Amino acid sequence: MTTVSDETSKDGPAAPESDGADQASQGETDAAAATPTDPEAPDPELSDSDGPDLDASAADDTAAAESEAAETGHATVESSAVADTDEPPTDEDHTDSTVGAAESDAVDDAATDDEPVSLDTEAPEAPDTEAVVAPPASAATQLDPADTTWWKSAIFYQIYPRSFSDLNGDGVGDLAGVIDKLGYLELLGIDAIWLSPIMRSPMADHGYDVSDPRDIDPLFGDIALFDELITEAHDRDIRVTMDLVPNHTSDQHEWFVEALAAERGSAARARYIFRDGRGDDGEEPPNNWHSVFGGPAWTRVPDPDGSPGQWYLHIFAAEQPDLNWENPEVFADLEKTLRFWLDRGVDGFRIDVAHGMAKPADLPDMDVESAGLLQNSDDDPRFNNYAVHDIHRKIRTVLDDYPGAANVGEIWVDDNERFAEYLRPDELHLGFNFRLAKATFDPTSIRDAIENSLESVLSVDGTPTWTLSNHDVDREVTRYGRLSPVGSDTDPDGASDTDSPTVDVDLGILRARAMLLVELALPGTVFIYNGAELGLPNADLPDDALQDPVWERSGHTERGRDACRVPLPWEGFEPPYGFSSNPDTWLPIPDSWTRFTVEAQLEDVGSTLSLYRQAIEMRYQRPEFDGDTVEWYGAPEGCLAFRRSVGHLVCALNTSDVPVGLPPGEVLLTSYPLIDGQLAPNSAAWLV
């Protein structure tokens, strides 16, 4: 899918190679940049020496665009975004937020006539403590059934419900809080929200242990409140997708309770993976599999008469027994779940552990030495077995009955050929690709991640996906700000060493802002984790606050994922920063997060939140973002640059510690102000 030049030189940057006639014409508006098909044109470059200044016409065009946008009421690139400065970036320049009035018009424009955007909008009534099951919303539909390809360029915003907004005052986020903040999400400009699990659950793994997949957990609200969320989100042209957890259930699911009370070989036990043990009296587990969370993946249970009995499989926590997908009852029940939510107007699902579910019949031993917590390899027998594709085909058949619905699978598969198999036309619409989130802040690592991600979907004409963080991955600010290497620096899947490395948060924010422009410049679908738009780092939590099952199952050697799941700061100067009326939030919010609040950043034109808003709006409105492929420019050491194949947007990234020259063109947006017309260290720019 990409045309790649392997020649990178500090002395003479190479022009992007052309892969055919579709690159032959660029239009008059691109005349300032070198064309791949014109050997006489100057090479677009990032230069170690003084680069070309922005020409006067480009500056005039930018000013004219700002004036026009101001007259029409649209948010624009603020002048500070591309302004020159004689000083290199400092910590204070890009992190201290000063509330001003410069964006008040944009805030007003994003509000509806009847409901202005406000941090203090009237809260929906808190749900009763007992869940109320509303009748099926069979009349509801997806937001736009006529649009069956919206997901190919969408921006999803992941909401971790426990940590987004709490309106009933129990210290845990809820659906009423999500409804209350829909105006904020509309202002941000996203297409869809992805809700991490909100189904009924004992919360052993914070909702990923589902006891009733067709009900809302009272912690978050009830079915009626969920229906209200769907309606109000659709009224704002925001789609709603939700987490689906088909690999396992809770140990409190009625099926598993029935299985524990049943005899060996019973129909009830056949819904799960029960096996006799090995060794004398079956005292050893059926194989050597480990749990992803640490410890064995098998738990022995007594027979109904109280004698030692069989073992059941749980790839995750013991409270999450794996289902047996060879049993037709399992899919029949999942189909009921799919249709239950789709009939209420849900616009799709994120499928948890989409490369799991199917297990090899002989359950062979695994390579324990190469397996780590919260990760797997391609040859891991616990995951990525071919029978899983039949399951996805059945799921797709159901979704095809609901035009406008789409699903995305969590797929931890490195091999591109195997990854692409999940995206065949009759399987998943999208597959999470985590390569960009795992890349270090280095041009080689970033370029490899981009090339590999694009190539991974080429054979099936699939859509690439991009994300920098989620609820299982350390926040990008923390990853990019680490000053000493640890295991999670190259394997940022959530686990981290007990002895935390030094993190320069301000440096991390600079780099995260730059990577946002890289991410949004790429073709495909983008996923933003709640709080990334505020520049949040991981929180430094005390041991007694940790709740992730990884902490207990690892014997307190791995701290788990709680640090990236801390509640969001909305307003004020001390915890809980408007997240809740209860200061005792489910995870403590750091005292130092005053500068990260939405209130502090909303009208600060130089804030990370403002950068997100500007970049997202440009991505939708500018034709330069067209094209499914990218072309690479030669660039000096520490830099990279690429161009969209059709619209010809150029994205340049400088990871070095010195300013560098920019390719020719009009600057649309920078992650940090230019220095004497050059791209600042740890920053990125968009040009046309």
Side-chain angles (χ1 to χ4, degrees):
M1 180 169 286
T2 57
T3 301
V4 178
S5 170
D6 292 326
E7 296 181 0
T8 300
S9 170
K10 295 177 64 177
D11 298 324
E17 296 179 3
S18 171
D19 54 0
D22 60 329
Q23 305 303 325
S25 176
Q26 299 183 25
E28 293 299 326
T29 58
D30 198 40
T35 66
T37 55
D38 183 2
E40 300 301 324
D43 287 345
E45 65 178 311
L46 289 176
S47 171
D48 279 343
S49 59
D50 291 341
D53 293 334
L54 299 178
D55 61 42
S57 61
D60 292 342
D61 290 344
T62 303
E66 291 173 351
S67 175
E68 179 182 353
E71 294 175 0
T72 58
H74 296 300
T76 65
V77 182
E78 303 294 339
S79 58
S80 63
V82 296
D84 289 3
T85 176
D86 294 330
E87 299 297 328
T90 63
D91 296 344
E92 292 79 5
D93 286 339
H94 61 86
T95 54
D96 292 341
S97 300
T98 303
V99 178
E103 285 192 319
S104 59
D105 291 340
V107 175
D108 293 339
D109 289 344
T112 62
D113 293 338
D114 299 325
E115 186 178 0
V117 175
S118 172
L119 294 176
D120 299 314
T121 54
E122 182 178 353
E125 293 184 4
D128 296 334
T129 54
E130 294 295 326
V132 178
V133 179
S138 57
T141 64
Q142 286 57 57
L143 175 61
D144 183 2
D147 187 354
T148 59
T149 60
W150 62 270
W151 44 271
K152 289 188 174 184
S153 60
I155 296 178
F156 286 78
Y157 182 90
Q158 181 191 357
I159 291 177
Y160 196 69
R162 299 175 69 91
S163 298
F164 190 63
S165 177
D166 168 34
L167 254 66
N168 67 5
D170 64 358
V172 181
D174 46 44
L175 291 180
V178 177
I179 294 171
D180 184 52
K181 302 301 184 186
L182 284 174
Y184 168 76
L185 297 177
E186 183 180 24
L187 183 72
L188 187 59
I190 52 94
D191 293 288
I193 57 176
W194 150 32
L195 293 167
S196 290
I198 54 174
M199 299 166 182
R200 190 175 285 267
S201 166
M203 300 294 165
D205 187 22
H206 296 153
Y208 285 95
D209 51 316
V210 178
S211 57
D212 185 347
R214 295 184 287 277
D215 195 10
I216 299 295
D217 194 274
L219 183 69
F220 302 120
D222 56 30
I223 290 290
L225 197 59
F226 180 77
D227 288 344
E228 181 183 345
L229 169 60
I230 293 287
T231 299
E232 295 205 18
H234 284 181
D235 286 345
R236 296 177 183 270
D237 290 329
I238 297 174
R239 291 175 168 85
V240 178
T241 63
M242 60 192 306
D243 242 312
L244 192 69
V245 190
N247 178 72
H248 48 264
T249 71
S250 164
D251 62 348
Q252 296 184 31
H253 190 287
E254 62 179 359
W255 275 7
F256 194 72
V257 173
E258 182 183 354
L260 292 181
E263 300 287 343
R264 302 185 188 205
S266 64
R269 289 204 170 184
R271 296 168 179 148
Y272 295 90
I273 301 177
F274 281 85
R275 293 289 187 274
D276 294 334
R278 298 186 294 189
D280 295 339
D281 299 322
E283 61 188 18
E284 298 293 329
N287 65 20
N288 73 341
W289 288 9
H290 282 200
S291 163
V292 171
F293 289 163
W298 295 92
T299 293
R300 196 175 193 186
V301 296
D303 282 337
D305 63 4
S307 61
Q310 289 185 303
W311 299 74
Y312 71 88
L313 178 67
H314 51 87
I315 297 300
F316 294 89
E319 296 87 351
Q320 297 166 290
D322 280 47
L323 287 161
N324 173 22
W325 276 89
E326 296 294 321
N327 188 327
E329 284 188 71
V330 174
F331 179 76
D333 188 71
L334 178 67
E335 181 174 359
K336 291 180 182 178
T337 297
L338 292 168
R339 295 189 185 278
F340 178 85
W341 298 112
L342 290 165
D343 285 340
R344 313 198 85 85
V346 167
D347 299 284
F349 302 94
R350 178 264 190 183
I351 301 180
D352 186 58
V353 197
H355 63 314
M357 297 180 281
K359 309 298 190 294
D362 56 347
L363 296 177
D365 282 351
M366 62 181 289
D367 181 0
V368 175
E369 297 299 323
S370 65
L373 296 181
L374 297 170
Q375 61 180 286
N376 62 270
S377 61
D378 283 357
D379 57 358
D380 189 329
R382 300 173 299 175
F383 300 97
N384 199 29
N385 293 283
Y386 276 106
V388 76
H389 296 288
D390 288 334
I391 300 171
H392 286 300
R393 291 187 185 98
K394 293 177 181 178
I395 294 173
R396 181 60 176 266
T397 298
V398 176
L399 260 70
D400 284 346
D401 288 341
Y402 298 83
N407 58 7
V408 55
E410 179 192 26
I411 309 171
W412 290 95
V413 176
D414 289 331
D415 181 78
N416 285 344
E417 184 176 346
R418 298 294 302 275
F419 182 89
E421 291 170 345
Y422 289 87
L423 302 181
R424 289 174 289 203
D426 59 348
E427 296 192 40
L428 292 165
H429 294 83
L430 296 167
F432 270 114
N433 188 313
F434 302 96
R435 292 184 185 276
L436 198 59
K438 297 175 74 172
T440 57
F441 193 71
D442 168 80
T444 300
S445 181
I446 295 167
R447 176 169 171 166
D448 286 348
I450 293 172
E451 290 176 350
N452 200 293
S453 299
L454 292 171
E455 292 293 339
S456 69
V457 300
L458 178 62
S459 64
V460 289
D461 195 26
T463 299
T465 62
W466 313 98
T467 189
L468 297 176
S469 57
N470 62 32
H471 64 294
D472 289 331
V473 177
D474 285 342
R475 289 192 176 275
E476 52 264 56
V477 167
T478 292
R479 295 200 318 272
Y480 299 145
R482 285 195 176 111
L483 301 181
S484 58
V486 295
S488 56
D489 196 30
T490 55
D491 172 30
D493 303 336
S496 58
D497 291 350
T498 302
D499 296 327
S500 299
T502 300
V503 175
D504 184 338
V505 172
D506 294 333
L507 176 64
I509 291 172
L510 271 180
R511 292 174 170 179
R513 289 166 61 96
M515 286 302 296
L516 169 69
L517 296 197
V518 172
E519 179 184 39
L520 290 184
L522 293 165
T525 307
V526 173
F527 291 83
I528 296 170
Y529 179 44
N530 59 201
E533 78 278 13
L534 304 178
L536 291 184
N538 277 10
D540 186 10
L541 299 173
D543 290 354
D544 60 5
L546 300 180
Q547 300 188 32
D548 192 332
V550 171
W551 175 240
E552 293 297 332
R553 291 185 62 87
S554 67
H556 293 184
T557 61
E558 300 290 342
R559 296 180 63 80
R561 301 157 293 178
D562 289 320
C564 67
R565 299 177 174 183
V566 172
L568 300 192
W570 290 94
E571 59 188 3
F573 302 95
E574 60 184 8
Y577 294 113
F579 164 75
S580 173
S581 60
N582 187 341
D584 187 18
T585 55
W586 78 279
L587 286 174
I589 308 175
D591 293 335
S592 60
W593 277 15
T594 301
R595 65 172 175 165
F596 295 117
T597 66
V598 173
E599 181 182 48
Q601 297 192 47
L602 191 60
E603 296 183 9
D604 175 8
V605 298
S607 71
T608 299
L609 176 57
S610 292
L611 179 68
Y612 266 76
R613 289 177 55 204
Q614 295 167 27
I616 289 172
E617 183 173 22
M618 282 188 180
R619 188 176 189 264
Y620 287 128
Q621 293 186 349
R622 301 285 305 208
E624 291 88 355
F625 288 84
D626 289 344
D628 295 331
T629 63
V630 302
E631 303 155 346
W632 294 95
Y633 286 72
E637 184 177 356
C639 301
L640 64 78
F642 61 86
R643 185 174 69 182
R644 290 288 285 270
S645 58
V646 175
H648 301 144
L649 174 89
V650 174
C651 179
L653 172 68
N654 179 11
T655 72
S656 75
D657 57 2
V658 296
V660 296
L662 284 166
E666 172 194 346
V667 176
L668 289 182
L669 184 63
T670 63
S671 63
Y672 187 85
L674 302 178
I675 298 176
D676 293 331
Q678 295 187 310
L679 189 60
N682 298 306
S683 67
W686 287 347
L687 305 96
V688 294

